[in-house]
């Protein structure tokens, strides 16, 4: 069995650039056989594919040692979908054996919990004295702990939700007993979560970034509910988990209503049937207050629109109103406080100094 200990992050190996390879891949199933489709020059030679796969996993996921008996005819594909708070990956490969030691953890740890849905083949996984074989189910692993995994069957395909530990409002000591366990994905909340992840992977690439961020929040809520159910009655989920779920719902509401000038903390509290004090308490441990969160989100949207060539003919004040700033002067002042330049200067720099039709006197009033 061949050893490939790829703990280093970045760089080139075997003639394949990791990030180019990721962008070039497309998985396609042909009966019970998986093909690797790559763009010209990405991973051209068969003998390079396993090295590419090892380095890509170590770079994009975490340092890990991988082995395979199929290096000469290795097939693999990896697809990523950025969902804001979480990340969704689809991984398909010829059989491999993985080992993540304490040394690998020290070398690099994204501090993620990985919830994987095994859609084809099987996975024998062990972590923290737990061990199981997962076929068609879900399995939770922790990147901060050593682990071992071995694929069974001719190939393995999985959908992996990568969750930053701080984003999952369930205590680590409670989750430890779920690590490396075969969690059912064919009934109840497990089936709902599994179907959502597969649907998101299929249709997500056609969504706008703000839509994907909203879907990421939904995926996090479903994962939290599913894991809480595995720990016992969902009603017994800790108060911080319920508060986090409420906060995520409020964040989605804010994102969907940024263009409404009437979006205020009081409006948000009223629409979520809570007192204004309760809303402020939810934001007590957040980096921004609820009002500051609204303001910053509006500015980020306007900042992106001003840098968009397709919107270059749209006056600055129109973009400001689109994102809930009725006063041009107030928008310009807030923009400069955050970004250090005026909206017009940002647009000019972002679009290469080209003159933008339609700005006229409007841009001068926003300085």
């Amino acid at each position: 069995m061949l050893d490939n200990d790829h703990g280093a992050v970045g760089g080139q190996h075997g003639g394949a650039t990791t990030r180019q390879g990721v962008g070039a891949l497309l998985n396609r199933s042909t009966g019970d056989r998986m093909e690797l489709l790559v763009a010209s020059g990405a991973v051209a030679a068969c003998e390079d594919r396993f090295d590419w796969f090892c380095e890509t996993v170590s770079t994009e996921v975490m340092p890990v040692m991988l082995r395979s008996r199929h290096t000469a005819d290795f097939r693999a594909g990896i697809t990523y979908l950025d969902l804001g708070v979480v990340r969704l990956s689809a991984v398909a490969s010829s059989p491999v054996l993985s080992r993540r030691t304490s040394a690998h953890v020290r070398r690099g740890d994204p501090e993620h919990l990985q919830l994987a849905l095994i859609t084809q083949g099987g996975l024998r996984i062990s972590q923290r004295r737990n061990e199981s074989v997962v076929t068609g189910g879900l399995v939770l692993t922790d990147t901060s702990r050593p682990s071992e995994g071995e694929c069974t069957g001719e190939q393995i395909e999985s959908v992996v939700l990568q969750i930053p530990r701080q984003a999952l409002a369930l205590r680590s000591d409670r989750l430890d007993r779920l690590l490396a366990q075969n969690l059912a994905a064919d009934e109840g909340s497990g089936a709902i979560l599994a179907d959502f992840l597969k649907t998101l992977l299929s249709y997500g690439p056609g969504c706008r970034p703000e839509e994907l961020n909203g879907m990421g929040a939904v995926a996090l809520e479903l994962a939290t509910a599913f894991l809480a159910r595995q720990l016992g009655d969902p009603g017994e989920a800790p108060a911080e988990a319920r508060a986090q779920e409420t906060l995520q719902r409020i964040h989605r509401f804010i994102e969907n209503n940024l263009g409404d000038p009437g979006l205020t903390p009081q409006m948000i509290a009223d629409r979520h049937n809570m007192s204004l004090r309760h809303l402020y308490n939810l934001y007590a441990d957040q980096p921004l207050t609820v009002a500051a969160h609204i303001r910053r989100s509006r500015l980020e949207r306007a900042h992106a629109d001003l840098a968009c060539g397709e919107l270059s003919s749209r006056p600055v004040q129109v973009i400001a109103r689109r994102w809930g700033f009725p006063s041009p002067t107030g928008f310009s002042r807030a923009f400069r406080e955050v970004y250090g330049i005026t909206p017009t200067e940002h647009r000019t720099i972002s679009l290469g100094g080209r003159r933008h039709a339609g700005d006229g006197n409007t841009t001068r009033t926003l300085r």
Side-chain angles (χ1 to χ4, degrees):
M1 189 170 287
L2 299 177
D3 290 8
N4 280 268
D5 190 348
H6 287 257
V9 174
Q12 291 188 331
H13 185 86
T17 302
T18 297
R19 294 187 184 279
Q20 289 178 345
V22 172
L25 286 176
L26 173 66
N27 290 327
R28 181 174 65 192
S29 294
T30 307
D32 60 354
R33 183 172 60 88
M34 179 182 58
E35 294 184 67
L36 173 67
L37 306 180
V38 296
S40 177
V43 191
C46 292
E47 60 269 20
D48 290 336
R49 292 174 182 172
F50 183 62
D51 290 337
W52 166 85
F53 182 74
C54 292
E55 187 167 350
T56 299
V57 171
S58 286
T59 301
E60 301 292 336
V61 184
M62 59 184 179
V64 64
M65 182 276 292
L66 296 173
R67 298 176 181 175
S68 180
R69 295 185 181 275
H70 303 270
T71 55
D73 59 347
F74 195 76
R75 296 289 186 272
I78 304 176
T79 304
Y80 299 112
L81 195 60
D82 188 352
L83 303 176
V85 66
V86 295
R87 191 185 196 193
L88 191 63
S89 306
V91 182
S93 77
S94 302
V96 295
L97 183 148
S98 67
R99 175 175 294 172
R100 180 163 164 83
T101 65
S102 297
H104 288 117
V105 174
R106 291 192 296 270
R107 193 177 302 165
D109 181 15
E111 297 185 355
H112 284 174
L113 290 165
Q114 297 183 333
L115 189 58
L117 172 67
I118 309 303
T119 56
Q120 184 168 342
L123 175 67
R124 180 178 291 105
I125 182 75
S126 62
Q127 187 171 57
R128 197 170 170 77
R129 297 183 298 277
N130 296 334
E131 182 173 353
S132 58
V133 176
V134 183
T135 304
L138 287 151
V139 60
L140 182 71
T141 55
D142 186 345
T143 65
S144 299
R145 315 272 186 141
S147 63
E148 290 191 12
E150 182 178 7
C151 304
T152 62
E154 295 183 1
Q155 68 183 53
I156 183 167
E157 298 185 14
S158 63
V159 179
V160 185
L161 187 65
Q162 299 175 34
I163 309 171
R165 187 178 293 106
Q166 67 273 16
L168 189 63
L170 295 168
R171 294 202 318 267
S172 296
D173 59 338
R174 302 183 74 219
L175 288 170
D176 280 351
R177 64 186 179 89
L178 296 182
L179 297 177
Q181 298 289 347
N182 188 0
L183 307 175
D186 57 355
E187 61 182 9
S189 57
I192 294 172
L193 174 61
D195 286 346
F196 180 77
L197 295 181
K198 289 185 287 188
T199 301
L200 187 55
L201 193 65
S202 297
Y203 298 101
C207 294
R208 298 188 302 272
E210 57 268 26
E211 292 178 307
L212 290 177
N213 289 341
M215 293 299 99
V218 173
L220 178 60
E221 283 192 22
L222 290 174
T224 301
F226 169 70
L227 293 173
R229 182 67 185 87
Q230 306 308 305
L231 294 169
D233 187 341
E236 295 179 0
E240 59 266 27
R242 296 194 297 272
Q244 184 68 22
E245 291 173 6
T246 301
L247 194 61
Q248 292 297 331
R249 285 198 298 273
I250 291 172
H251 284 171
R252 290 200 305 277
F253 179 82
I254 290 173
E255 292 299 311
N256 291 333
N257 292 276
L258 288 173
D260 184 354
L263 181 65
T264 64
Q266 185 63 63
M267 173 194 174
I268 293 170
D270 292 343
R271 292 291 295 272
H272 289 81
N273 300 312
M274 65 178 63
S275 68
L276 192 59
R277 176 178 292 183
H278 186 191
L279 177 64
Y280 288 153
N281 287 338
L282 286 174
Y283 275 83
D285 295 329
Q286 299 298 304
L288 297 174
T289 65
V290 59
H293 175 73
I294 295 170
R295 179 171 173 267
R296 177 58 67 90
S297 297
R298 284 171 165 165
L299 287 171
E300 288 175 351
R301 296 294 183 84
H303 185 272
D305 279 4
L306 289 168
C308 178
E310 295 178 357
L311 302 177
S312 62
S313 63
R314 190 169 298 181
V316 175
Q317 67 177 7
V318 171
I319 289 177
R321 285 198 302 269
R322 179 187 182 188
W323 296 116
F325 291 98
S327 166
T329 302
F331 171 63
S332 184
R333 184 185 305 113
F335 194 96
R336 177 178 285 226
E337 287 177 359
V338 172
Y339 297 109
I341 57 176
T342 68
T344 302
E345 290 168 343
H346 167 62
R347 169 175 267 180
T348 300
I349 294 170
S350 299
L351 301 182
R354 296 191 297 273
R355 184 184 179 92
H356 307 289
D359 284 359
N361 293 330
T362 301
T363 59
R364 288 196 291 274
T365 63
L366 289 174
R367 289 186 180 275

